[in-house]
Amino acid sequence: CQGGVDVSGLNENLESVDNPGIFFAGELVDIDGRCVGYNLQWAWSGGAVAGTAAAEKSVRRKRTDAK
């Protein structure tokens, strides 16, 4: 398969550079491992990175909105 979001369009937290606040992970990102298991590891690790970053951004936004 081919396709997915090009990694050059994402920052280190897997957030879209062009559309901040949108995070991508797993099969949505154009990454391909060579051997069995690497794609699964990427999906889990990428999900952890993107999910943590999205949650942190949400908390910061709520704190800012509350002021």
Side-chain angles (χ1 to χ4, degrees):
C1 291
Q2 293 181 345
V5 177
D6 191 322
V7 294
S8 66
L10 304 175
N11 67 17
E12 66 277 0
N13 293 319
L14 302 176
E15 181 178 18
S16 172
V17 173
D18 295 330
N19 298 291
I22 299 176
F23 295 82
F24 296 91
E27 295 294 320
L28 294 175
V29 182
D30 190 15
I31 288 188
D32 187 33
R34 290 183 162 211
C35 298
V36 176
Y38 289 115
N39 288 333
L40 290 174
Q41 182 60 49
W42 157 249
W44 296 322
S45 299
V49 169
T52 300
E56 289 174 354
K57 187 168 191 157
S58 176
V59 169
R60 283 193 309 271
R61 182 175 295 151
K62 286 181 183 179
R63 288 182 184 155
T64 303
D65 291 345
K67 291 182 180 180

